[in-house]
mmCIF file of all heavy atoms in Angstrom:
data_model
loop_
_atom_site.group_PDB
_atom_site.id
_atom_site.type_symbol
_atom_site.label_atom_id
_atom_site.label_comp_id
_atom_site.label_asym_id
_atom_site.label_seq_id
_atom_site.Cartn_x
_atom_site.Cartn_y
_atom_site.Cartn_z
ATOM 1 N N ILE M 54 150.590 136.865 104.776
ATOM 2 C CA ILE M 54 150.161 136.950 106.177
ATOM 3 C C ILE M 54 150.934 137.700 107.100
ATOM 4 O O ILE M 54 150.447 138.318 107.993
ATOM 5 C CB ILE M 54 149.865 135.576 106.720
ATOM 6 C CG1 ILE M 54 148.934 135.554 107.977
ATOM 7 C CG2 ILE M 54 151.055 134.745 106.854
ATOM 8 C CD1 ILE M 54 148.267 134.202 108.351
ATOM 9 N N ALA M 55 152.296 137.676 106.859
ATOM 10 C CA ALA M 55 153.223 138.431 107.786
ATOM 11 C C ALA M 55 153.325 139.932 107.288
ATOM 12 O O ALA M 55 154.428 140.368 106.939
ATOM 13 C CB ALA M 55 154.577 137.840 107.814
ATOM 14 N N THR M 56 152.119 140.630 107.268
ATOM 15 C CA THR M 56 152.099 141.990 106.735
ATOM 16 C C THR M 56 151.198 142.851 107.661
ATOM 17 O O THR M 56 150.304 142.269 108.262
ATOM 18 C CB THR M 56 151.560 142.083 105.242
ATOM 19 O OG1 THR M 56 150.188 141.570 105.312
ATOM 20 C CG2 THR M 56 152.327 141.263 104.327
ATOM 21 N N LEU M 57 151.469 144.130 107.706
ATOM 22 C CA LEU M 57 150.606 145.094 108.445
ATOM 23 C C LEU M 57 149.253 145.147 107.960
ATOM 24 O O LEU M 57 148.186 145.109 108.668
ATOM 25 C CB LEU M 57 151.208 146.433 108.312
ATOM 26 C CG LEU M 57 151.965 147.105 109.520
ATOM 27 C CD1 LEU M 57 152.243 148.543 109.305
ATOM 28 C CD2 LEU M 57 151.085 146.849 110.852
ATOM 29 N N GLU M 58 149.148 145.024 106.555
ATOM 30 C CA GLU M 58 147.802 145.035 105.904
ATOM 31 C C GLU M 58 146.988 143.852 106.425
ATOM 32 O O GLU M 58 145.760 144.051 106.726
ATOM 33 C CB GLU M 58 148.062 144.822 104.376
ATOM 34 C CG GLU M 58 146.980 145.459 103.560
ATOM 35 C CD GLU M 58 146.327 144.501 102.544
ATOM 36 O OE1 GLU M 58 147.003 143.436 102.400
ATOM 37 O OE2 GLU M 58 145.142 144.756 102.217
ATOM 38 N N MET M 59 147.561 142.634 106.536
ATOM 39 C CA MET M 59 146.865 141.463 107.037
ATOM 40 C C MET M 59 146.369 141.717 108.579
ATOM 41 O O MET M 59 145.238 141.539 108.947
ATOM 42 C CB MET M 59 147.739 140.213 106.995
ATOM 43 C CG MET M 59 147.039 138.948 107.343
ATOM 44 S SD MET M 59 145.980 138.483 105.939
ATOM 45 C CE MET M 59 144.965 137.292 106.689
ATOM 46 N N LEU M 60 147.377 142.329 109.298
ATOM 47 C CA LEU M 60 147.004 142.522 110.701
ATOM 48 C C LEU M 60 145.856 143.519 110.875
ATOM 49 O O LEU M 60 145.031 143.371 111.671
ATOM 50 C CB LEU M 60 148.284 143.031 111.512
ATOM 51 C CG LEU M 60 148.178 143.610 112.844
ATOM 52 C CD1 LEU M 60 147.546 142.546 113.755
ATOM 53 C CD2 LEU M 60 149.564 144.011 113.427
ATOM 54 N N ARG M 61 145.833 144.555 109.934
ATOM 55 C CA ARG M 61 144.699 145.546 110.015
ATOM 56 C C ARG M 61 143.400 144.994 109.491
ATOM 57 O O ARG M 61 142.437 145.195 110.049
ATOM 58 C CB ARG M 61 145.236 146.813 109.268
ATOM 59 C CG ARG M 61 146.255 147.554 109.957
ATOM 60 C CD ARG M 61 146.294 149.015 109.457
ATOM 61 N NE ARG M 61 147.292 149.704 110.160
ATOM 62 C CZ ARG M 61 148.574 150.252 109.542
ATOM 63 N NH1 ARG M 61 148.614 149.900 108.278
ATOM 64 N NH2 ARG M 61 149.408 150.895 110.227
ATOM 65 N N THR M 62 143.491 144.258 108.344
ATOM 66 C CA THR M 62 142.228 143.879 107.572
ATOM 67 C C THR M 62 141.668 142.530 108.373
ATOM 68 O O THR M 62 140.417 142.395 108.334
ATOM 69 C CB THR M 62 142.439 143.596 106.155
ATOM 70 O OG1 THR M 62 143.405 142.601 106.072
ATOM 71 C CG2 THR M 62 142.924 144.911 105.504
ATOM 72 N N ASP M 63 142.537 141.743 108.773
ATOM 73 C CA ASP M 63 141.992 140.444 109.408
ATOM 74 C C ASP M 63 142.859 140.043 110.521
ATOM 75 O O ASP M 63 143.633 138.942 110.509
ATOM 76 C CB ASP M 63 142.098 139.337 108.224
ATOM 77 C CG ASP M 63 141.373 138.077 108.748
ATOM 78 O OD1 ASP M 63 141.082 137.950 109.899
ATOM 79 O OD2 ASP M 63 141.201 137.163 107.888
ATOM 80 N N PRO M 64 142.786 140.811 111.686
ATOM 81 C CA PRO M 64 143.584 140.459 112.776
ATOM 82 C C PRO M 64 143.382 139.113 113.407
ATOM 83 O O PRO M 64 144.281 138.537 113.964
ATOM 84 C CB PRO M 64 143.165 141.531 113.904
ATOM 85 C CG PRO M 64 141.936 142.136 113.286
ATOM 86 C CD PRO M 64 141.841 141.897 111.833
ATOM 87 N N VAL M 65 142.113 138.393 113.241
ATOM 88 C CA VAL M 65 141.968 137.164 113.768
ATOM 89 C C VAL M 65 142.856 136.141 113.002
ATOM 90 O O VAL M 65 143.453 135.372 113.641
ATOM 91 C CB VAL M 65 140.428 136.807 113.678
ATOM 92 C CG1 VAL M 65 140.135 135.345 114.046
ATOM 93 C CG2 VAL M 65 139.626 137.751 114.485
ATOM 94 N N THR M 66 142.698 136.139 111.684
ATOM 95 C CA THR M 66 143.621 135.237 110.943
ATOM 96 C C THR M 66 144.995 135.357 111.161
ATOM 97 O O THR M 66 145.795 134.475 111.432
ATOM 98 C CB THR M 66 143.274 135.286 109.440
ATOM 99 O OG1 THR M 66 141.847 135.037 109.137
ATOM 100 C CG2 THR M 66 144.142 134.306 108.610
#
Side-chain angles (χ1 to χ4, degrees):
I54 193 164
T56 61
L57 255 188
E58 207 240 339
M59 188 74 196
L60 174 53
R61 289 205 177 108
T62 57
D63 187 350
V65 171
T66 301

